[in-house]
Amino acid sequence: MERKTKPRRNSRFDKFVSVISILALAFAWYLGGQRTNHSQTQFFDSILASGEQLIEVAPLLYQIVPSVENNPAPETTQDTSKWVSFGTGVGYGGELTIGAVFSHQGEIETIALLGSKETTSYFDKVAEQKLPESLLAQNIKTALSVDAVSGATLTSKAYTQALNQAADPIRLRLFGYQFTEAKPAWHYLKWLDAAALLFFVAAVWVSRTRSEHKSKMNAVLLAGSTLLFGFHSASLYSASTMAGLVSGTWLSGVANYTPFILLMLSIGCILYYNRNVYCQSLCPFGAVQQCLAKVGKAKASPIRRSLFIWFPRFLLLATLCLGAYFRNPAAFVYEPFGIAFGMIGGMYLFILTVMILLTSLIVRRPWCQSLCPINTLTDFVVFNKQWIKQAAKPRKRRQGMAKRTAPKQIAAEDVPTRHEHTGGHR
Amino acid sequence: MFPQSTILDPLFWMAFGALQVLVFAGANQWAKQFKLGMNWWKWTLAGTWWASIILTIAGAFTLLGENEGLAGWYFLGFVGTGLVIAGAVLLRVLIALKPKH
């Protein structure tokens, strides 16, 4: 009997949208590069009084001195002039850049935030607790330190680190020593990153095993992951992590690489197995939703309507584009993880989280079904992988269709395989 | 509650207190209808849960009234959500422990 069901080919519309998405992201990145950053100029304007001028002593190190017409003896004022310097610190979401003014005795007079790739909610918390103000008037003779804001420890440290870095060249000139040492990239890797790797390997193994205890093992993995990557460190990856990966903020350093590691492992897994084991075996928020579904005997959600497929795609693309344009991926977040696991985030995220948690009692995994960007990522990677595979073997398929030989092979090429296999895809 | 009146405030709270009698009377009827086999500790749990809900709402709106809007909404959201989930758990426990006739 002749096979009548043809393997589903990727539609032209889907291909068009896929290409447009990549182009839109590239265009947003390009436009972002055209934006002029006036923050340093504005900072200089704000710190200079009339009759003063700025002299560049070294790269990113300046002195404020009276202008020539107001200063008949410049050599006498050199010792009493103020210093201006810049520094960066690595926070949870990325770098913080600050500019600071120091007195000739080494006291901090002014601090200004010039650029931030830090997660907005964390930085807002630091600003609300007036951490920058508490650093003012401290003398740079000793290493600058301040009590970290609870719930935003990494951001507090990043801010202090940036100020210490800015102070170092002035310390060297005024007191003859400095504190900051250049840290290699691996300095930011922690035991949690190794745990992420182990958990992911275990998740892949559990997804492939045929053991009768598979569901129990999966439950143990989910519980461990929820405790470790959820409540302990809130290291779930999200749209802002994806934006960070695309924008390359992780190259200049982030305080927590775990979400990036989990994301990259997930992409690798999707490419190899056409599925994302993270959602089923590791996602802490998925585990929370599953527990709530058990409590409320939640029903499976209705059929995935096209709105629930296309809206998260549009949302993720918009987030990635905005992150690329403003060169600040951490500023555009719409995930409920911060509120759920760390009680950190704005009011709109708080309302979203409460709604999702309450809905989880009635509908199974509402976040995963409606807004989660991970489904979109999986769909995108699988779709393009299949497209490339189809494009790479068009002639072979046509020959196969003509000869009607080896139909199983044709199907295997066209349909994403989720069965066990000994060989690789390549 | 009623800043412009001296009599409405106590009247309101008296009515609210009286309403609690109806709430527990209704809960008792409901428990009988579903044959939950309520005893002293089950009633203690249910009463504690209900009192927590009432106090959470009262606390949150007190904060809102004190111009602590953010704290009020966060309190209502975090504690209220926790209590709704706890209520669902309590219901499951009560149903699971129904006496088998």
Side-chain angles (χ1 to χ4, degrees):
Chain A
M1 206 173 130
E2 201 178 318
R3 249 182 77 157
K4 286 190 178 179
T5 52
K6 268 202 239 170
R8 193 182 155 275
R9 303 274 302 186
N10 298 333
S11 74
R12 278 186 185 174
F13 176 73
D14 289 352
K15 287 176 181 175
F16 173 76
V17 171
S18 173
V19 171
I20 284 291
S21 303
I22 295 165
L23 289 177
L25 191 56
F27 189 59
W29 179 262
Y30 168 76
L31 283 180
Q34 300 304 303
R35 286 170 63 238
T36 316
N37 189 353
H38 295 296
S39 59
Q40 196 166 309
T41 315
Q42 287 169 345
F43 174 62
F44 286 148
D45 290 343
S46 68
I47 58 173
L48 282 177
S50 58
E52 287 181 334
Q53 66 171 356
L54 209 61
I55 299 171
E56 187 172 8
V57 180
L60 297 178
L61 179 64
Y62 300 83
Q63 263 190 305
I64 300 173
V65 294
S67 52
V68 180
E69 57 271 19
N70 298 333
N71 190 17
E75 62 282 349
T76 56
T77 56
Q78 287 288 326
D79 297 337
T80 57
S81 55
K82 294 175 185 175
W83 293 86
V84 181
S85 183
F86 302 89
T88 56
V90 177
Y92 185 87
E95 282 182 334
L96 284 171
T97 305
I98 59 124
V101 180
F102 304 87
S103 72
H104 68 279
Q105 292 170 319
E107 283 171 351
I108 302 164
E109 291 191 353
T110 310
I111 312 169
L113 181 75
L114 302 183
S116 169
K117 289 175 184 170
E118 179 57 306
T119 310
T120 318
S121 51
Y122 289 129
F123 189 79
D124 288 348
K125 205 162 186 175
V126 164
E128 278 168 23
Q129 297 292 318
K130 297 198 172 357
L131 181 134
E133 285 85 342
S134 63
L135 285 158
L136 286 172
Q138 281 196 29
N139 197 297
I140 60 172
K141 198 178 281 189
T142 54
L144 301 166
S145 65
V146 70
D147 287 342
V149 173
S150 177
T153 312
L154 292 173
T155 312
S156 309
K157 282 182 179 173
Y159 202 92
T160 318
Q161 180 194 359
L163 196 56
N164 262 316
Q165 195 188 82
D168 255 348
I170 300 152
R171 264 194 206 109
L172 196 63
R173 286 169 186 272
L174 295 181
F175 310 113
Y177 55 84
Q178 59 181 30
F179 292 125
T180 312
E181 292 169 14
K183 288 172 181 169
W186 53 262
H187 165 84
Y188 296 104
L189 295 174
K190 294 186 287 286
W191 66 268
L192 201 67
D193 304 326
L197 187 65
L198 282 174
F199 266 78
F200 206 92
V201 169
V204 171
W205 182 80
V206 166
S207 75
R208 314 283 299 162
T209 186
R210 293 179 184 278
S211 166
E212 57 184 300
H213 303 296
K214 185 172 177 166
S215 60
K216 285 178 188 169
M217 287 191 275
N218 199 59
V220 169
L221 258 182
L222 261 178
S225 178
T226 305
L227 290 173
L228 200 60
F229 306 122
F231 292 106
H232 172 67
S233 62
S235 299
L236 301 83
Y237 69 79
S238 59
S240 59
T241 317
M242 293 172 198
L245 187 71
V246 172
S247 306
T249 52
W250 55 283
L251 292 168
S252 55
V254 289
N256 189 0
Y257 272 104
T258 313
F260 287 96
I261 289 168
L262 286 168
L263 173 59
M264 286 192 254
L265 287 168
S266 292
I267 292 170
C269 185
I270 297 165
L271 280 170
Y272 196 77
Y273 295 117
N274 286 341
R275 61 188 301 202
N276 193 347
V277 296
Y278 176 83
C279 296
Q280 213 53 42
S281 304
L282 293 176
C283 179
F285 199 66
V288 167
Q289 288 177 96
Q290 246 170 261
C291 288
L292 291 174
K294 278 255 190 290
V295 167
K297 284 189 176 175
K299 304 276 186 297
S301 63
I303 305 157
R304 278 189 82 187
R305 297 181 192 283
S306 56
L307 173 73
F308 283 147
I309 295 172
W310 285 100
F311 182 67
R313 290 177 182 181
F314 170 78
L315 200 60
L316 179 60
L317 181 64
T319 306
L320 293 177
C321 287
L322 286 167
Y325 179 75
F326 290 103
R327 298 289 195 270
N328 187 5
F332 302 94
V333 290
Y334 60 92
E335 57 265 4
F337 315 141
I339 292 283
F341 296 113
M343 292 189 182
I344 286 175
M347 182 52 81
Y348 74 100
L349 285 178
F350 170 74
I351 292 166
L352 177 73
T353 309
V354 167
M355 281 170 65
I356 290 164
L357 291 177
L358 293 178
T359 311
S360 300
L361 290 165
I362 304 155
V363 178
R364 253 182 242 160
R365 288 200 175 213
W367 165 254
C368 310
Q369 296 298 329
S370 59
L371 287 170
C372 184
I374 298 173
N375 285 330
T376 299
L377 170 82
T378 308
D379 290 349
F380 183 80
V381 173
V382 170
F383 174 85
N384 285 290
K385 180 191 161 185
Q386 291 306 118
W387 186 11
I388 290 164
K389 275 178 78 176
Q390 286 169 3
K393 300 177 181 180
R395 198 172 298 171
K396 237 184 187 180
R397 188 177 301 110
R398 261 186 252 123
Q399 285 170 354
M401 295 285 266
K403 289 178 184 175
R404 296 255 173 239
T405 53
K408 278 182 187 174
Q409 274 185 1
I410 296 163
E413 282 168 11
D414 282 341
V415 181
T417 176
R418 296 199 180 196
H419 305 299
E420 281 200 350
H421 50 83
T422 47
H425 281 281
R426 288 168 294 282
Chain B
M1 195 74 200
F2 301 100
Q4 305 305 321
S5 168
T6 52
I7 188 71
L8 283 176
D9 225 22
L11 279 176
F12 171 83
W13 287 112
M14 277 190 258
F16 204 82
L19 198 66
Q20 297 306 305
V21 177
L22 290 177
V23 166
F24 277 92
N28 192 27
Q29 289 302 313
W30 187 80
K32 279 176 183 168
Q33 190 184 328
F34 283 90
K35 299 184 178 72
L36 291 178
M38 296 296 276
N39 54 26
W40 68 269
W41 65 264
K42 288 181 185 177
W43 275 120
T44 306
L45 280 177
T48 306
W49 177 80
W50 178 248
S52 305
I53 285 272
I54 295 291
L55 285 172
T56 302
I57 294 166
F61 280 86
T62 302
L63 283 166
L64 288 167
E66 297 285 351
N67 279 333
E68 293 289 353
L70 211 58
W73 290 119
Y74 277 133
F75 182 62
L76 190 64
F78 281 118
V79 183
T81 305
L83 281 169
V84 169
I85 292 163
V89 172
L90 181 62
L91 190 64
R92 290 294 303 275
V93 168
L94 292 178
I95 290 167
L97 296 177
K98 264 168 81 167
K100 290 171 180 67
H101 296 294

